[in-house]
Amino acid sequence: KAGVTQTPRYLIKTRGQQVTLSCSPISGHRSVSWYQQTPGQGLQFLFEYFSETQRNKGNFPGRFSGRQFSNSRSEMNVSTLELGDSALYLCASSLVGETGKFFGPGTRLTVL
Amino acid sequence: LAKTTQPISMDSYEGQEVNITCSHNNIATNDYITWYQQFPSQGPRFIIQGYKTKVTNEVASLFIPADRKSSTLSLPRVSLSDTAVYYCLVGDRQNTDKLIFGTGTRLQVFP
């Protein structure tokens, strides 16, 4: 069974631009979560989707948004990029009711 | 979600058994304990999950005492490739919306 895939793996943007990251969960997994990881803040929860609905959201500004499609694939968008948005963005999928999440390799975003 | 406390770092040598303990004094009745491993620039990898007593898989063992206020991840005969950060998390299976990762334990395995 294929794992969680994320595209692109690496991305370089400049301040003020926007970016869209994509995540394809493991087949059959309907819950998709997004995390931001930085050296200073560690792993921080962004939001979680299930059945195309956002179930929970972390403490991030409104510039960070996401959505989930009917096939469970998910995208996250960051608008008006700031230097501090440079991070590894991780997507995780899981079965409903399971705390064991499976993470993708991440998208390394660099904002110049 | 219950807060967890782990040692910041640990050192070991190849072939040794490593035990990483996690404290979760406020664990709730419905909470499960889950451990993840993360290598640099990669996503965390699920290692093991348990509720009580002992759980073992092909990678590790998880020991949970009766009061469930702590848990110990045991890695048998570590190798250099086990050098990574290990995270302990506790959470309710019905409210898995957001996993709160702590700082984790950085394990360094030496030859």
PDB file of all heavy atoms in Angstrom, chain B residues 15-28:
ATOM      1  N   GLY B  15      24.058  -1.959  19.365  1.00  0.00           N
ATOM      2  CA  GLY B  15      23.881  -3.252  20.005  1.00  0.00           C
ATOM      3  C   GLY B  15      23.239  -3.192  21.374  1.00  0.00           C
ATOM      4  O   GLY B  15      22.804  -4.225  21.899  1.00  0.00           O
ATOM      5  N   GLN B  16      23.173  -2.000  21.951  1.00  0.00           N
ATOM      6  CA  GLN B  16      22.571  -1.878  23.274  1.00  0.00           C
ATOM      7  C   GLN B  16      21.052  -1.747  23.167  1.00  0.00           C
ATOM      8  O   GLN B  16      20.514  -1.386  22.126  1.00  0.00           O
ATOM      9  CB  GLN B  16      23.142  -0.664  24.005  1.00  0.00           C
ATOM     10  CG  GLN B  16      24.583  -0.812  24.437  1.00  0.00           C
ATOM     11  CD  GLN B  16      25.041   0.337  25.331  1.00  0.00           C
ATOM     12  OE1 GLN B  16      24.547   1.448  25.222  1.00  0.00           O
ATOM     13  NE2 GLN B  16      25.973   0.054  26.221  1.00  0.00           N
ATOM     14  N   GLU B  17      20.400  -2.017  24.284  1.00  0.00           N
ATOM     15  CA  GLU B  17      18.969  -1.777  24.378  1.00  0.00           C
ATOM     16  C   GLU B  17      18.769  -0.356  24.907  1.00  0.00           C
ATOM     17  O   GLU B  17      19.440   0.067  25.846  1.00  0.00           O
ATOM     18  CB  GLU B  17      18.316  -2.784  25.326  1.00  0.00           C
ATOM     19  CG  GLU B  17      16.820  -2.551  25.518  1.00  0.00           C
ATOM     20  CD  GLU B  17      16.227  -3.491  26.555  1.00  0.00           C
ATOM     21  OE1 GLU B  17      16.489  -3.285  27.765  1.00  0.00           O
ATOM     22  OE2 GLU B  17      15.489  -4.409  26.174  1.00  0.00           O
ATOM     23  N   VAL B  18      17.848   0.357  24.304  1.00  0.00           N
ATOM     24  CA  VAL B  18      17.567   1.728  24.728  1.00  0.00           C
ATOM     25  C   VAL B  18      16.137   1.806  25.249  1.00  0.00           C
ATOM     26  O   VAL B  18      15.203   1.328  24.595  1.00  0.00           O
ATOM     27  CB  VAL B  18      17.755   2.717  23.567  1.00  0.00           C
ATOM     28  CG1 VAL B  18      17.250   4.101  23.955  1.00  0.00           C
ATOM     29  CG2 VAL B  18      19.231   2.786  23.168  1.00  0.00           C
ATOM     30  N   ASN B  19      16.000   2.419  26.396  1.00  0.00           N
ATOM     31  CA  ASN B  19      14.675   2.628  26.984  1.00  0.00           C
ATOM     32  C   ASN B  19      14.429   4.120  27.145  1.00  0.00           C
ATOM     33  O   ASN B  19      15.186   4.808  27.830  1.00  0.00           O
ATOM     34  CB  ASN B  19      14.569   1.937  28.345  1.00  0.00           C
ATOM     35  CG  ASN B  19      14.672   0.438  28.221  1.00  0.00           C
ATOM     36  OD1 ASN B  19      13.967  -0.183  27.433  1.00  0.00           O
ATOM     37  ND2 ASN B  19      15.578  -0.170  28.991  1.00  0.00           N
ATOM     38  N   ILE B  20      13.401   4.613  26.539  1.00  0.00           N
ATOM     39  CA  ILE B  20      13.041   6.030  26.627  1.00  0.00           C
ATOM     40  C   ILE B  20      11.727   6.119  27.384  1.00  0.00           C
ATOM     41  O   ILE B  20      10.715   5.551  26.965  1.00  0.00           O
ATOM     42  CB  ILE B  20      12.879   6.669  25.236  1.00  0.00           C
ATOM     43  CG1 ILE B  20      14.136   6.454  24.395  1.00  0.00           C
ATOM     44  CG2 ILE B  20      12.592   8.166  25.387  1.00  0.00           C
ATOM     45  CD1 ILE B  20      14.006   6.946  22.963  1.00  0.00           C
ATOM     46  N   THR B  21      11.763   6.833  28.490  1.00  0.00           N
ATOM     47  CA  THR B  21      10.573   6.943  29.330  1.00  0.00           C
ATOM     48  C   THR B  21       9.854   8.260  29.090  1.00  0.00           C
ATOM     49  O   THR B  21      10.484   9.304  28.906  1.00  0.00           O
ATOM     50  CB  THR B  21      10.952   6.809  30.810  1.00  0.00           C
ATOM     51  OG1 THR B  21      11.502   5.510  31.018  1.00  0.00           O
ATOM     52  CG2 THR B  21       9.725   6.964  31.692  1.00  0.00           C
ATOM     53  N   CYS B  22       8.560   8.197  29.112  1.00  0.00           N
ATOM     54  CA  CYS B  22       7.710   9.371  28.921  1.00  0.00           C
ATOM     55  C   CYS B  22       6.745   9.474  30.094  1.00  0.00           C
ATOM     56  O   CYS B  22       6.133   8.478  30.478  1.00  0.00           O
ATOM     57  CB  CYS B  22       6.954   9.222  27.604  1.00  0.00           C
ATOM     58  SG  CYS B  22       5.809  10.552  27.218  1.00  0.00           S
ATOM     59  N   SER B  23       6.640  10.655  30.662  1.00  0.00           N
ATOM     60  CA  SER B  23       5.700  10.879  31.761  1.00  0.00           C
ATOM     61  C   SER B  23       4.446  11.562  31.240  1.00  0.00           C
ATOM     62  O   SER B  23       4.536  12.525  30.474  1.00  0.00           O
ATOM     63  CB  SER B  23       6.344  11.750  32.843  1.00  0.00           C
ATOM     64  OG  SER B  23       7.443  11.098  33.417  1.00  0.00           O
ATOM     65  N   HIS B  24       3.320  11.048  31.647  1.00  0.00           N
ATOM     66  CA  HIS B  24       2.034  11.652  31.263  1.00  0.00           C
ATOM     67  C   HIS B  24       1.084  11.517  32.447  1.00  0.00           C
ATOM     68  O   HIS B  24       0.156  10.701  32.432  1.00  0.00           O
ATOM     69  CB  HIS B  24       1.464  11.017  29.992  1.00  0.00           C
ATOM     70  CG  HIS B  24       1.883   9.606  29.748  1.00  0.00           C
ATOM     71  ND1 HIS B  24       1.301   8.528  30.375  1.00  0.00           N
ATOM     72  CD2 HIS B  24       2.848   9.097  28.932  1.00  0.00           C
ATOM     73  CE1 HIS B  24       1.864   7.415  29.947  1.00  0.00           C
ATOM     74  NE2 HIS B  24       2.813   7.727  29.086  1.00  0.00           N
ATOM     75  N   ASN B  25       1.338  12.347  33.446  1.00  0.00           N
ATOM     76  CA  ASN B  25       0.604  12.245  34.704  1.00  0.00           C
ATOM     77  C   ASN B  25      -0.890  12.494  34.566  1.00  0.00           C
ATOM     78  O   ASN B  25      -1.684  12.018  35.379  1.00  0.00           O
ATOM     79  CB  ASN B  25       1.192  13.213  35.734  1.00  0.00           C
ATOM     80  CG  ASN B  25       2.594  12.810  36.151  1.00  0.00           C
ATOM     81  OD1 ASN B  25       2.866  11.631  36.346  1.00  0.00           O
ATOM     82  ND2 ASN B  25       3.483  13.780  36.281  1.00  0.00           N
ATOM     83  N   ASN B  26      -1.274  13.278  33.590  1.00  0.00           N
ATOM     84  CA  ASN B  26      -2.697  13.637  33.451  1.00  0.00           C
ATOM     85  C   ASN B  26      -3.414  12.827  32.379  1.00  0.00           C
ATOM     86  O   ASN B  26      -4.433  13.270  31.854  1.00  0.00           O
ATOM     87  CB  ASN B  26      -2.828  15.128  33.139  1.00  0.00           C
ATOM     88  CG  ASN B  26      -2.278  15.997  34.252  1.00  0.00           C
ATOM     89  OD1 ASN B  26      -2.465  15.691  35.430  1.00  0.00           O
ATOM     90  ND2 ASN B  26      -1.591  17.060  33.890  1.00  0.00           N
ATOM     91  N   ILE B  27      -2.904  11.658  32.095  1.00  0.00           N
ATOM     92  CA  ILE B  27      -3.514  10.835  31.058  1.00  0.00           C
ATOM     93  C   ILE B  27      -4.954  10.497  31.437  1.00  0.00           C
ATOM     94  O   ILE B  27      -5.258  10.199  32.592  1.00  0.00           O
ATOM     95  CB  ILE B  27      -2.688   9.557  30.821  1.00  0.00           C
ATOM     96  CG1 ILE B  27      -3.189   8.824  29.577  1.00  0.00           C
ATOM     97  CG2 ILE B  27      -2.666   8.668  32.058  1.00  0.00           C
ATOM     98  CD1 ILE B  27      -2.258   7.717  29.117  1.00  0.00           C
ATOM     99  N   ALA B  28      -5.830  10.597  30.452  1.00  0.00           N
ATOM    100  CA  ALA B  28      -7.245  10.331  30.694  1.00  0.00           C
ATOM    101  C   ALA B  28      -7.574   8.875  30.398  1.00  0.00           C
ATOM    102  O   ALA B  28      -6.822   8.169  29.731  1.00  0.00           O
ATOM    103  CB  ALA B  28      -8.098  11.253  29.821  1.00  0.00           C
TER     104      ALA B  28
END
